[in-house]
Amino acid sequence: MRALLVEDEELLRLQLADSLRTAGYTVDEAPDGREALYLGREYSYDVGVMDLGLPEIDGIQVIQTLRDEDKHFPILILTARGHWQERVAGLEAGGDDYLVKPFHTEELLARLNALVRRSAGFSSPTIKAGSIALDTSAQRVTVDGAELELTSFEYKVLEYLMLHPDQVVSKTVLTEHIYEQDCDRDSNVIEVFIGRLRRKFETVAQLKPIETLRGRGYRFVAPDESR
Ligand code: CA
């Protein structure tokens, strides 16, 4: 999952970026509204964290502009205590949820996780597909209750595919949602992760939930429940 983190207080931004990365997000950071708008227009995000009081362009204006330009990724607003009018304006501009500073990182992560899942159409933190269950809070995957050991990149690839079931997801899209902007992004690496995921599903449960569509990408299809 790729997150846009917009916060002008540098220390807070660095701490949040660190927590988000530890939680498995790919994070792009913006210290002001101008950079936030640039990144929001340029890249495809799964979720955003937006401080409202920002230099250059304020957060409400950034959200409003992105929504006007049909950027619909869920956005969590950060506001100062007591500024309730600001929260209302932020939600009315197109924000999806808010947190009042100071807050606990655990609450931020839980809210972001819920926003990402809900925008993909899932209400429970565990996404089930036949015998496969992906726990987005613990970042664990089980097949018939037995844990499938995955590296963090394998997990990220599988999570993205399972949040977009029955859809063709191209290597480019997977790469965008998994690597950070400055990374040397090699989409061939995606093939390696997909190959490993497939082998694990086959070895553990004789399942083939990930299809390859030549030249187009990959598709997650829930294994038949009746097997
Ligand atoms: Ca601020």
Side-chain angles (χ1 to χ4, degrees):
M1 296 297 121
R2 191 183 181 109
L4 173 61
L5 171 61
V6 188
E7 170 60 65
D8 59 322
E9 286 171 52
E10 192 178 5
L11 187 59
L12 178 59
R13 188 180 68 251
L14 296 177
Q15 284 170 348
L16 289 177
D18 206 38
S19 305
L20 288 171
R21 289 190 180 106
T22 305
Y25 287 93
T26 298
V27 185
D28 292 335
E29 299 172 43
D32 60 60
R34 196 170 298 278
E35 180 75 7
L37 203 49
Y38 165 75
L39 290 171
R41 284 170 163 158
E42 197 71 9
Y43 298 93
S44 171
Y45 291 99
D46 300 294
V47 75
V49 178
M50 181 87 59
D51 181 35
L52 291 184
L54 291 172
E56 308 272 351
I57 305 171
D58 76 57
I60 290 170
Q61 189 60 50
V62 173
I63 296 170
Q64 185 96 64
T65 307
L66 290 174
R67 294 311 191 218
D68 285 348
E69 295 177 7
D70 285 332
K71 302 287 184 190
H72 296 299
F73 60 93
I75 295 175
L76 180 110
I77 295 163
L78 302 180
T79 65
R81 194 205 307 261
H83 293 201
W84 68 267
Q85 296 93 335
E86 197 183 60
R87 290 201 285 286
V88 172
L91 293 170
E92 282 178 350
D96 299 275
D97 195 2
Y98 69 86
L99 262 181
V100 178
K101 296 176 184 178
F103 50 83
H104 290 281
T105 308
E106 289 77 7
E107 184 174 2
L108 175 83
L109 293 175
R111 284 174 184 273
L112 287 185
N113 192 359
L115 282 178
V116 170
R117 275 188 284 108
R118 272 193 246 116
S119 74
F122 296 90
S123 51
S124 155
T126 299
I127 294 164
K128 293 196 177 120
S131 53
I132 303 170
L134 180 132
D135 179 339
T136 58
S137 308
Q139 296 188 35
R140 288 175 68 235
V141 177
T142 56
V143 181
D144 280 326
E147 180 151 7
L148 197 65
E149 298 278 353
L150 300 180
T151 64
S152 81
F153 272 106
E154 289 164 7
Y155 174 86
K156 287 183 192 189
V157 169
L158 182 63
E159 181 185 61
Y160 193 83
L161 290 174
M162 285 186 72
L163 280 167
H164 302 83
D166 306 317
Q167 293 175 34
V168 181
V169 180
S170 71
K171 268 197 278 185
T172 311
V173 167
L174 274 174
T175 308
E176 275 176 10
H177 287 266
I178 283 155
Y179 290 103
E180 301 196 357
Q181 159 199 20
D182 308 329
C183 257
D184 179 17
R185 302 202 242 160
D186 178 357
S187 66
N188 292 315
V189 176
I190 296 290
E191 276 175 41
V192 176
F193 291 133
I194 294 276
R196 286 200 210 140
L197 277 168
R198 282 217 178 95
R199 276 196 294 283
K200 289 184 181 180
F201 277 116
E202 280 242 50
T203 313
V204 171
Q206 293 83 51
L207 293 177
K208 294 182 177 177
I210 303 170
E211 300 176 352
T212 300
L213 293 99
R214 262 189 103 79
R216 293 171 61 205
Y218 305 100
R219 179 162 59 196
F220 181 88
V221 178
D224 187 355
E225 308 234 20
S226 61
R227 65 171 276 287

